[in-house]
């Protein structure tokens, strides 16, 4: 083999290896802080970014993008009601110790068409793969029933969302997705994680955060309740007495 041929093969190998390097994600979000005030009706977030090579140029491959927005985890006790002698009574119950207070997923295609079940479970790519962590020993069938019930309840409240096709990719460089937060969202730190997937493999991920906090009178009430329960209790009693007195005076005038 001539020296020129060897050099050509080496250059081709280097080019192949350079093209095979994983991309990087440069994510951004339209709001890094959401303030919950009186009359808060929810918020619309735009999650966007770019898919680049390590050198900062256009990645130029067919990547799928999955964006997952999660709220603070919480412990939730779920009770199942059964009808006994015409009366609905609490029957079985279970408690989940790490249920996200909010979960939204947007993807460029349905997740089942992007990754296999194992990968989806590892990265929690979808409502079917949430790791809710039930407390105590529970029958697998019963666990599946309670998990499905919790997910269905949260979906009807607008707190769990899944939008296949919700990510738009332009020129295999820029991507964007919109996620709506309802007015009932819990305060705290929300994580927005973006995954780049190529041929069923997650090749890059990036994380951004959003702070949801109460402001104004709502913040005063929340902070007082947390730091000084006695003062909060007295304040609540005074408000109740005052409202009752005002209502009594109004009825007396009628």
């Amino acid at each position: 083999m001539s020296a020129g041929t060897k050099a050509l093969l080496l250059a081709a190998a280097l080019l192949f290896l350079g093209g095979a390097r994983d991309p990087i994600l440069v994510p951004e979000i339209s709001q890094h802080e959401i303030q919950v005030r009186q009359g808060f009706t929810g918020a619309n977030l735009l999650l966007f970014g770019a898919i680049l090579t390590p050198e900062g140029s256009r990645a130029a491959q067919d990547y799928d993008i999955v964006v997952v927005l999660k709220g603070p985890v919480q412990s939730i006790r779920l009770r199942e009601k059964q009808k006994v002698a015409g009366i609905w009574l609490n029957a079985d119950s279970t408690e989940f110790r790490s249920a996200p207070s909010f979960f939204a997923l947007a993807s460029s295609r349905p997740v089942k068409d992007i990754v296999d079940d194992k990968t989806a479970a590892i990265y929690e790519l979808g409502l079917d793969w949430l790791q809710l962590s039930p407390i105590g020993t529970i029958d697998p069938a019963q666990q599946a029933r309670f998990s499905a019930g919790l997910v269905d309840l949260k979906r009807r409240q607008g707190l769990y969302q899944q939008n296949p096709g919700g990510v738009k990719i332009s020129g295999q460089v820029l991507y964007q997705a919109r996620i709506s937060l309802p007015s009932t969202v819990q305060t705290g730190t929300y994580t927005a994680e973006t995954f780049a997937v190529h041929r069923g493999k997650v090749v890059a991920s990036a994380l951004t955060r959003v702070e949801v906090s109460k402001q104004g009178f709502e913040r005063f009430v929340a902070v007082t309740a947390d730091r000084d329960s006695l003062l909060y209790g007295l304040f609540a009693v005074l408000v109740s007495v005052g409202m009752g007195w005002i209502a009594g005076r109004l009825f007396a005038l009628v």
Side-chain angles (χ1 to χ4, degrees), residues 34 70-72 101 185-191 210-214:
I34 297 175
K70 282 185 183 179
S101 57
V185 291
Q186 180 177 311
T187 57
T189 302
Y190 286 62
T191 59
V210 180
E211 289 290 336
V212 179
S213 60
K214 291 185 177 180

Side-chain angles (χ1 to χ4, degrees), residues 64-217:
D64 280 296
I65 295 293
V66 182
V67 177
V68 176
L69 180 65
K70 282 185 183 179
V73 297
Q74 57 185 182
S75 178
I76 296 179
R77 176 168 289 279
L78 199 65
R79 293 182 173 86
E80 186 177 52
K81 290 185 177 295
Q82 290 184 354
K83 197 171 186 179
V84 179
I87 302 175
W88 287 100
L89 301 174
N90 288 330
D92 295 333
S93 67
T94 191
E95 185 174 358
F96 299 101
R97 64 169 172 262
S98 62
S101 57
F102 179 85
F103 180 92
L105 178 145
S107 53
S108 52
R109 292 188 293 155
V111 171
K112 63 181 180 62
D113 297 335
I114 299 176
V115 296
D116 56 24
D117 291 350
K118 181 180 179 181
T119 303
I122 291 173
Y123 294 98
E124 293 186 273
L125 300 182
L127 295 174
D128 293 336
W129 308 109
L130 286 180
Q131 299 175 13
L132 301 172
S133 302
I135 297 176
T137 304
I138 183 172
D139 177 73
Q142 187 180 21
Q143 176 183 339
R145 188 173 75 253
F146 274 104
S147 298
L150 176 62
V151 169
D152 179 64
L153 177 63
K154 292 287 189 178
R155 288 190 74 160
R156 286 188 278 114
Q157 294 172 343
L159 295 173
Y160 282 6
Q161 308 168 15
Q162 191 159 298
N163 183 13
V167 175
K168 307 301 180 185
I169 302 176
S170 302
Q172 284 300 312
V173 180
L174 304 176
Y175 68 87
Q176 66 173 16
R178 293 186 180 276
I179 294 178
S180 298
L181 295 177
S183 60
T184 53
V185 291
Q186 180 177 311
T187 57
T189 302
Y190 286 62
T191 59
E193 192 163 12
T194 304
F195 301 92
V197 183
H198 182 59
R199 295 182 179 177
K201 178 185 176 183
V202 175
V203 294
S205 65
L207 190 72
T208 55
R209 290 180 171 84
V210 180
E211 289 290 336
V212 179
S213 60
K214 291 185 177 180
Q215 299 294 326
F217 181 72

Side-chain angles (χ1 to χ4, degrees), residues 187 214 216-228 232:
T187 57
K214 291 185 177 180
F217 181 72
E218 288 76 12
R219 177 176 175 81
F220 166 75
V221 173
V223 171
T224 304
D226 183 56
R227 297 180 180 177
D228 196 334
Y232 174 75

